[in-house]
Amino acid sequence: MSSMESSYLPATTESIAKAQEAKDASESISILYRVLQDPSSSAEALRTKELAITNLTNYLTKENRAEELRNLLTQLRPFFSLIPKAKTAKIVRGIIDAVAKIPGTSELQISLCKEMVEWTRAEKRTFLRQRVEARLAALLLENQEYTEALTLLTGLIKEVRRLDDKLLLVDIDLLESKLHFSLRNLPKAKASLTAARTAANAIYVPPAQQGTIDLQSGILHAEEKDYKTAYSYFFEAFEAFSALEDPKAIFSLKYMLLCKIMVNQADDVAGIISSKAGLKYLGPDVDAMKAVADAYSKRSLKYFETALRDYKSQLEEDPIVHRHLSSLYDTLLEQNLCRLIEPYSRVEIAHIAEMIELPVDHVEKKLSQMILDKKFAGTLDQGAGCLIIFEDPKTEAIFPATLETISNVGKVVDSLYMRSAKIMA
């Protein structure tokens, strides 16, 4: 579809109605392009053109014409000089959001944002530039281009703090927190989140943004193994997103269930899922967490591995769930191995592997790691393919008691020395 037709249509409500009554989307798009070509710049014509842009954006999004949306932004630049800056900002952000709805356009979105940043800088439209830069940083973060995103955010934060634009500051601080978390820099991630909370406390924050703050808080608490606090934050986020019917609600619910499993309350998972709020989100994500909870309740590594295999995209491809489940799997494996080797002083590794239903090399590697971590005393005889378990060396109680007595005597002597020094003075 070429962008703008040669003959224009007058920018009137009749032309907009004509576009809506057209027999297909392509015809509607063609009519709306012609409306935008009307040279009239009267107040009525400008209002009609704004409506035409909104309708055209919706049609192009439905037709998945991302490249045309990008071209539309370029073609509208002369029009932007005729309307207030606030309306320009609304249209630009609306078109960028529309491109984001089209799947597989992350690279296009990044280049589009970079183009708009250059244009806004040349036009000295600071308010819009800062918001497009924040959007660009979020896209770079999704694309795992962390260095570029961090450089962009560092400069942007300083600029926005000077202007004291609290609402934008909350967004940017949250982005910075997510970025530092992705780079595994937990102290900086927490500091950025605290800054976001501080800015949010001073203004009215939309429920969706408050939900995002709570979600990030939960993720950081879970990373510190404080699963009870994390659960309460995830619950707050889930309620906010659920009320807005935001797709992030399913992630909040998933992380809530994860926290229950991590604090050894896997039996509560079924109750949460069957609650009124949980039933709305039944699907692969919830089924995946239910499978993990069942495996954990039964202390079965076989079921655990089956769940990981059957729900790979829901569990392993979600970095937050994957990280916690890895440590849970290790704990479960260690508990099972300790229980199995307890009756033996010497046992074949193949026999343990058979009982635990895991490959021999996997079991051997884990046993050697447990010996090095001093989880039990023993050694691996690889020639014979056996594990030799030693008796736990019993520590004599007299030695710690003697050390404690010597320590106490030392304190008494120090105290007497201080007193005598005071008397002598």
Side-chain angles (χ1 to χ4, degrees):
M1 182 80 209
S2 65
S3 39
M4 294 202 184
E5 299 290 330
S6 53
S7 60
Y8 70 83
L9 281 171
T12 59
T13 47
E14 287 77 14
S15 298
I16 300 292
K18 188 180 174 185
Q20 287 172 338
E21 289 161 9
K23 63 179 185 291
D24 58 27
S26 296
E27 193 181 330
S28 299
I29 289 167
S30 170
I31 292 167
L32 291 168
Y33 270 131
R34 289 166 65 193
V35 170
L36 292 179
Q37 271 216 315
D38 183 356
S40 171
S41 57
S42 66
E44 185 59 40
L46 292 177
R47 268 199 301 275
T48 308
K49 284 182 186 179
E50 282 171 38
L51 183 59
I53 291 165
T54 307
N55 291 354
L56 181 55
T57 304
N58 292 337
Y59 282 123
L60 291 173
T61 308
K62 282 176 190 167
E63 294 288 301
N64 287 348
R65 299 190 192 179
E67 199 59 53
E68 279 194 47
L69 281 167
R70 178 191 187 160
N71 295 337
L72 178 63
L73 260 184
T74 310
Q75 291 159 5
L76 287 173
R77 286 178 189 179
F79 173 71
F80 291 149
S81 61
L82 303 172
I83 60 172
K85 288 186 176 181
K87 284 190 176 176
T88 300
K90 186 182 174 186
I91 291 169
V92 169
R93 289 163 71 189
I95 293 175
I96 292 172
D97 287 343
V99 176
K101 289 175 188 170
I102 300 171
T105 56
S106 58
E107 290 296 335
L108 179 69
Q109 287 177 65
I110 289 171
S111 64
L112 175 59
C113 285
K114 284 179 178 174
E115 274 176 28
M116 290 314 295
V117 166
E118 290 304 314
W119 178 73
T120 49
R121 192 169 271 126
E123 294 280 314
K124 295 186 170 53
R125 292 173 184 256
T126 309
F127 176 87
L128 179 56
R129 175 179 57 77
Q130 288 168 347
R131 277 149 183 77
V132 176
E133 280 187 335
R135 182 59 175 267
L136 176 59
L139 289 167
L140 291 169
L141 175 60
E142 276 176 34
N143 243 28
Q144 298 185 355
E145 294 175 33
Y146 301 130
T147 313
E148 196 179 339
L150 191 57
T151 310
L152 182 60
L153 278 178
T154 308
L156 191 56
I157 283 176
K158 285 178 187 169
E159 193 182 333
V160 175
R161 281 218 172 104
R162 268 201 313 275
L163 293 169
D164 203 30
D165 184 343
K166 290 273 197 298
L167 195 59
L168 182 58
L169 200 55
V170 172
D171 269 340
I172 297 169
D173 282 329
L174 256 177
L175 262 178
E176 193 183 33
S177 178
K178 289 176 185 174
L179 179 58
H180 285 306
F181 178 73
S182 300
L183 293 168
R184 316 296 307 128
N185 190 337
L186 210 56
K188 282 194 174 180
K190 285 170 72 181
S192 298
L193 182 63
T194 305
R197 280 191 172 282
T198 308
N201 287 339
I203 54 163
Y204 167 74
V205 176
Q209 203 170 27
Q210 187 59 54
T212 310
I213 293 172
D214 289 332
L215 186 62
Q216 182 66 6
S217 301
I219 289 167
L220 294 183
H221 277 285
E223 192 64 23
E224 292 183 316
K225 307 277 187 277
D226 183 1
Y227 293 110
K228 285 189 176 176
T229 311
Y231 178 85
S232 63
Y233 276 121
F234 288 138
F235 183 72
E236 291 289 334
F238 174 66
E239 285 203 317
F241 291 137
S242 186
L244 296 167
E245 299 191 349
D246 190 306
K248 287 182 192 165
I250 188 67
F251 292 105
S252 306
L253 178 60
K254 196 159 108 175
Y255 301 153
M256 277 165 62
L257 300 176
L258 174 69
C259 288
K260 282 292 182 189
I261 296 166
M262 296 306 287
V263 293
N264 209 9
Q265 293 176 359
D267 296 338
D268 294 353
V269 167
I272 295 168
I273 292 169
S274 58
S275 68
K276 187 182 174 184
L279 287 170
K280 273 172 68 179
Y281 297 96
L282 289 178
D285 286 284
V286 171
D287 291 344
M289 297 315 294
K290 192 172 185 298
V292 170
D294 288 345
Y296 187 75
S297 298
K298 291 171 183 168
R299 293 281 186 274
S300 167
L301 283 167
K302 189 180 179 184
Y303 288 155
F304 203 103
E305 291 207 325
T306 305
L308 290 177
R309 192 170 56 248
D310 291 350
Y311 298 101
K312 190 174 180 183
S313 62
Q314 285 81 20
L315 301 175
E316 299 215 352
E317 288 172 22
D318 183 327
I320 293 153
V321 173
H322 178 60
R323 192 176 297 120
H324 294 293
L325 288 187
S326 297
S327 68
L328 186 69
Y329 178 78
D330 277 352
T331 308
L332 202 55
L333 180 54
E334 284 173 11
Q335 285 173 355
N336 277 357
L337 285 172
C338 285
R339 196 182 74 235
L340 289 174
I341 64 176
E342 198 175 1
Y344 301 102
S345 59
R346 182 186 177 95
V347 60
E348 286 185 1
I349 297 167
H351 179 59
I352 299 171
E354 190 184 324
M355 286 195 294
I356 207 165
E357 297 178 315
L358 287 174
V360 175
D361 57 339
H362 186 65
V363 172
E364 189 177 325
K365 188 180 173 186
K366 188 63 191 173
L367 287 170
S368 66
Q369 187 188 328
M370 287 169 71
I371 292 167
L372 291 170
D373 291 343
K374 295 188 168 53
K375 295 284 166 72
F376 67 90
T379 186
L380 289 167
D381 182 347
Q382 285 181 308
C386 288
L387 169 70
I388 301 162
I389 300 109
F390 303 141
E391 289 278 324
D392 277 344
K394 289 183 175 61
T395 52
E396 293 289 340
I398 193 166
F399 297 130
T402 309
L403 283 170
E404 194 180 344
T405 307
I406 293 167
S407 169
N408 288 338
V409 170
K411 286 174 187 172
V412 171
V413 171
D414 288 344
S415 175
L416 289 170
Y417 175 75
M418 295 291 285
R419 287 184 183 182
S420 62
K422 281 178 187 173
I423 294 164
M424 295 294 285

